[in-house]
Amino acid sequence: MSAASKKLDEVREVFNRFDANGDGLISSAELAGVLKALGSDSSADEISRMMEELDADRDGFINLSEFASFCKSANVAGAGSGDDGAGVRDAFDLYDKNGDGLISAAELHQVLNKLGESCSVQDCEKMIKSVDSDGDGNVSFDEFKVMMSNSKGNAA
């Protein structure tokens, strides 16, 4: 499997998690539900703005193509130099539940389980080990940025 098709499979898997009723479209209610599961208290106005930004064909729903375009642009925007993109920081903060600047296996496990992913803490430890460059057993923001920029590079 090529890197591009692997990345598309990853995007499709995330899309399917958002698409709770399996109709191939993400509604504003489904988007709000996932954000709530991740611990975000997004207001109705914020959800509406997100939908407007992502819904390119203005049909009131986000389809897989629109979602994939967003993921690609978010990776490009977040992987550059400078302030590293607010999107990458926001994503990191969703996992860093205790706000200590590190993502532990327990925090990763908690978020993935809220998203319906069935994995063990040991699985999460393995995931972290694959990007943990300093060997402390956690993912720092710098390690997270490297991971995000590597996934962007693999999508090309």
Side-chain angles (χ1 to χ4, degrees):
M1 177 182 291
S2 73
S5 65
K6 183 178 180 191
K7 188 66 180 171
L8 182 58
D9 285 347
E10 291 172 6
V11 169
R12 185 176 289 118
E13 186 176 324
V14 173
F15 177 86
N16 289 339
R17 295 215 179 278
F18 278 80
D19 180 18
N21 66 3
D23 66 355
L25 301 168
I26 298 171
S27 68
S28 59
E30 289 168 325
L31 178 62
V34 170
L35 293 173
K36 183 175 177 143
L38 289 170
S40 172
D41 291 325
S42 301
S43 69
D45 285 345
E46 290 169 322
I47 298 292
S48 179
R49 282 195 300 275
M50 285 183 231
M51 288 297 292
E52 283 179 30
E53 183 179 326
L54 299 174
D55 181 18
D57 64 8
R58 302 289 178 239
D59 67 351
F61 297 94
I62 302 164
N63 62 36
L64 179 59
S65 175
E66 291 164 338
F67 188 76
S69 293
F70 165 73
C71 290
K72 184 175 181 183
S73 67
N75 277 343
V76 170
S81 58
D83 69 355
D84 300 307
V88 175
R89 173 52 80 177
D90 289 345
F92 180 84
D93 289 345
L94 284 174
Y95 289 92
D96 181 18
K97 293 295 191 187
N98 65 5
D100 68 352
L102 299 169
I103 300 170
S104 68
E107 288 169 320
L108 179 60
H109 182 253
Q110 180 183 8
V111 171
L112 292 178
N113 280 334
K114 281 185 177 180
L115 289 172
E117 187 72 40
S118 82
C119 61
S120 67
V121 174
Q122 291 78 18
D123 293 333
C124 293
E125 288 169 352
K126 288 177 191 170
M127 287 182 232
I128 286 176
K129 192 174 188 175
S130 71
V131 297
D132 180 17
S133 60
D134 63 8
D136 68 352
N138 297 296
V139 176
S140 68
F141 184 60
D142 287 337
E143 291 164 338
F144 188 78
K145 289 186 303 190
V146 168
M147 178 186 72
M148 295 303 287
S149 66
N150 286 344
S151 68
K152 179 200 83 144
N154 291 341

